[in-house]
Amino acid sequence: MELVAERAEFADAVSWATRTVGARVTLPALSGVLLEAADGKLTCRATDLEVAAEIRIPVRIEQPGRVLLPGRLLSQLVAKFPDAPVHVKGEPDRVEISCGRATFHVRGMPVDDFPALPEPAEDAAQGVVKADAFSRLVAQVARAASSDEARPVLTGVQLEAAGGSLTAAATDSYRLAVRSLTWEEGVEGTALVPARALQEAAKAASDAGGAVTVALEAGQVSFLFGDRRLTTRLIEGSFPNYRALLPDAHETSVVVERAALIEALQRVAVVAMGQANTPISLTFGDGSVDLQAGSQEVGDAAEALPAEIDGEGLTIAFNPGFLLAGLEATGTDRIRIELRDGLKPAVLKPHVDGDDTTDDFTYLLMPMRVS
């Protein structure tokens, strides 16, 4: 291999590829970045077997070839390069990289040990969504996924394309988050994506801007950003029928300032956070929401703030961390809380005066029993 690349483009490509290189790997080759020069392009690839990153940049190729170099070492070297063209040449077992007056010799790894990355299928269900909208969808929904690896199906986010919408849903069995985006009409498919991989794709979308193409395939899903691609394997198993969990009616509706409720919750929850299974109680009635929490070991706290209440008053208790996550995800100045009674799930939604909602985000939260 022998090529010449622009320093900024080369550094960007290495940085993009190494986003999937972990500190601990099961195979030495997974710590590497595969560089392949052919047809006027340098392709950089890396994978941790769950998420794979790939990017192509234009280069001047003197001799095509492939080398596998240690990812973190390469990333550290490139970060220190001066503003000058990057020259890469050598054989798979020994590669010379020079930039300006600096020259490095890096020992390569066996190229054949690098796992083959599947290409997106031509018949994949594909749709294009705005990058900022995609990043917001993931930020709202992925937080509800479980971190318990003993229940792998719940560690993922279900993506479902149908009826001109792309819907994302996640649940850990205590809470459920659902959000939809406009999608290509007539393009349908489903994918159960690891939440970590989807969050990586959302970060990449946020960095890239513009639009992201989502390709739903059998066994994998790909996210394409121009000459960049992230591919992740899917989780095997069936995601719960979350639609059956969504209430079709409510008895009480509460509209409250989101920021004020978050601040009050954070203050009152000081006596609950860190105490196992200590809930925070919310009492809705007489134009206010009263928050209360306490424990015998620490003490108790209470705070009230104004709220618009339509329906009967009631008291309901929640895990304070889960409630805070839902409030943060909703994002609007005001939120609507829909309730049946103190024992059935509550639903949090965005709210704008004189309108329905700013988006269709739904956060369902199971109540806790107060002993």
Side-chain angles (χ1 to χ4, degrees):
M1 169 192 280
E2 185 173 355
L3 62 87
V4 181
E6 292 295 325
R7 185 263 178 197
E9 291 183 340
F10 186 77
D12 189 39
V14 171
S15 175
W16 170 267
T18 54
R19 68 196 307 131
T20 65
V21 176
R24 298 179 180 178
V25 294
T26 56
L27 299 172
L30 299 181
S31 66
V33 174
L34 182 68
L35 306 182
E36 182 173 3
D39 302 324
K41 297 277 188 178
L42 173 66
T43 303
C44 301
R45 297 186 178 95
T47 183
D48 62 2
L49 294 183
E50 181 176 289
V51 184
E54 178 181 300
I55 180 173
R56 290 181 172 87
I57 60 171
V59 295
R60 188 175 81 245
I61 299 175
E62 303 295 339
Q63 181 179 345
R66 304 166 71 214
V67 296
L68 181 62
L69 301 180
R72 292 192 176 276
L73 174 62
L74 183 61
S75 179
Q76 292 171 353
L77 292 179
V78 171
K80 304 296 183 182
F81 280 175
D83 188 12
V86 178
H87 296 258
V88 181
K89 65 178 180 180
E91 300 300 322
D93 60 341
R94 183 174 174 82
V95 178
E96 179 181 286
I97 304 175
S98 60
C99 184
R101 297 181 179 180
T103 300
F104 305 89
H105 293 95
V106 180
R107 186 176 298 278
M109 296 182 284
V111 173
D112 293 340
D113 289 351
F114 189 81
L117 303 185
E119 294 290 334
E122 294 183 0
D123 59 349
Q126 294 190 71
V128 179
V129 296
K130 293 182 178 179
D132 58 349
F134 176 75
S135 297
R136 175 172 167 76
L137 173 143
V138 175
Q140 289 179 304
V141 173
R143 67 182 65 212
S146 175
S147 59
D148 184 2
E149 295 297 335
R151 307 174 72 185
V153 168
L154 299 186
T155 65
V157 176
Q158 173 89 340
L159 296 182
E160 181 179 1
S165 294
L166 177 67
T167 301
T171 181
D172 60 3
S173 75
Y174 300 103
R175 50 186 171 163
L176 165 69
V178 183
R179 172 78 195 284
S180 295
L181 291 177
T182 301
W183 182 255
E184 305 288 339
E185 286 285 353
V187 179
E188 301 183 353
T190 60
L192 183 53
V193 187
R196 183 188 73 83
L198 195 62
Q199 289 167 330
E200 187 62 47
K203 182 178 183 300
S206 180
D207 294 341
V212 52
T213 298
V214 183
L216 307 177
E217 309 168 61
Q220 68 178 36
V221 60
S222 294
F223 305 93
L224 297 94
F225 319 86
D227 289 332
R228 308 169 185 225
R229 175 166 67 102
L230 280 178
T231 301
T232 177
R233 64 171 179 80
L234 303 183
I235 297 174
E236 295 182 358
S238 298
F239 194 72
N241 179 18
Y242 66 89
R243 288 186 173 87
L245 303 175
L246 298 174
D248 55 6
H250 59 273
E251 302 296 332
T252 301
S253 176
V254 180
V255 177
V256 63
E257 295 290 336
R258 186 179 70 97
L261 182 54
I262 287 176
E263 292 174 2
L265 175 62
Q266 290 173 330
R267 285 189 288 266
V268 173
V270 168
V271 299
M273 293 295 191
Q275 305 296 313
N277 299 318
T278 300
I280 186 165
S281 296
L282 281 71
T283 299
F284 302 100
D286 297 326
S288 73
V289 53
D290 300 333
L291 294 82
Q292 185 171 6
S295 66
Q296 294 181 348
E297 295 81 3
V298 178
D300 58 72
E303 185 168 343
L305 62 153
E308 300 174 13
I309 300 174
D310 181 11
E312 297 294 327
L314 59 85
T315 297
I316 189 170
F318 298 113
N319 175 305
F322 290 172
L323 177 58
L324 182 60
L327 295 173
E328 291 174 342
T330 306
T332 48
D333 291 340
R334 309 183 84 199
I335 63 154
R336 185 168 71 248
I337 306 173
E338 298 175 351
L339 305 152
R340 292 289 293 271
D341 57 46
L343 300 177
K344 291 186 173 62
V347 175
L348 278 64
K349 294 182 177 180
H351 179 84
V352 175
D353 291 333
D355 197 357
D356 187 11
T357 58
T358 55
D359 59 40
D360 63 353
F361 174 64
T362 297
Y363 187 89
L364 182 145
L365 184 58
M366 298 295 294
M368 293 182 67
R369 293 185 179 274
V370 179
S371 58

